[in-house]
Amino acid sequence: MPFFSDIKWDLGRYGPAVSGAILGIDPGTTNSAVAAMEGGKPTIVTNAEGQRTTPSVGAYTANRDRLVGQIAKRQAVVNPENTFFSVKRFIGRKMSEVDEESKQVSHKMVRDENGNVKLECVLVAA
């Protein structure tokens, strides 16, 4: 699959037109998906595990390795405070708006200097 640098942009009469690789990303709250144009039709790209969707979960391990997707979701039971999920619902919101919702997740959420939601990773902060 071509990289973004392989995309050729053409400013046509009706605005920018793209030729080459086209990639669509759906960052969902629960699952995420990626599609690419193949033969003029969008095709969902499978992940390393052969699945068409990937859990929208990220985590840090004790030795600060980054995990994404199913592997991050699996280890959430033993590493809840360093596993991030349902993050999309907190983006762009004030901590005062989500105080009750924040109690439903295992990762730490704090208020930044402007009152916005900020995620805190116990391992990275240490």
Side-chain angles (χ1 to χ4, degrees):
M1 181 181 303
F3 291 95
F4 285 115
S5 61
D6 295 332
I7 296 175
K8 296 175 183 70
W9 295 91
D10 175 27
L11 294 177
R13 179 174 169 191
Y14 299 105
V18 178
S19 65
I22 299 175
L23 186 67
I25 303 171
D26 176 13
T29 303
T30 306
N31 291 292
S32 297
V34 176
M37 292 297 283
E38 289 183 5
K41 297 172 83 174
T43 303
I44 298 289
V45 177
T46 57
N47 61 22
E49 295 171 331
Q51 301 297 311
R52 295 167 49 90
T53 61
T54 299
S56 300
V57 180
Y60 284 94
T61 65
N63 56 358
R64 295 187 179 187
D65 288 333
R66 289 175 287 187
L67 305 175
V68 176
Q70 192 63 43
I71 193 166
K73 188 175 179 179
R74 280 190 212 116
Q75 62 81 58
V77 174
V78 295
N79 186 19
E81 64 278 352
N82 297 301
T83 303
F84 301 90
F85 59 94
S86 294
V87 173
K88 185 177 166 186
R89 72 182 75 246
F90 300 112
I91 294 173
R93 297 182 68 191
K94 299 287 184 186
M95 194 67 188
S96 59
E97 299 173 326
V98 299
D99 277 333
E100 286 304 310
E101 277 182 277
S102 69
K103 296 173 186 171
Q104 299 173 10
V105 296
S106 56
H107 48 81
K108 188 172 183 183
M109 294 174 38
V110 296
R111 182 183 326 263
D112 75 2
E113 62 277 358
N114 297 316
N116 300 313
V117 172
K118 182 176 177 182
L119 304 178
E120 188 170 277
C121 180
V122 177
L123 291 174
V124 175

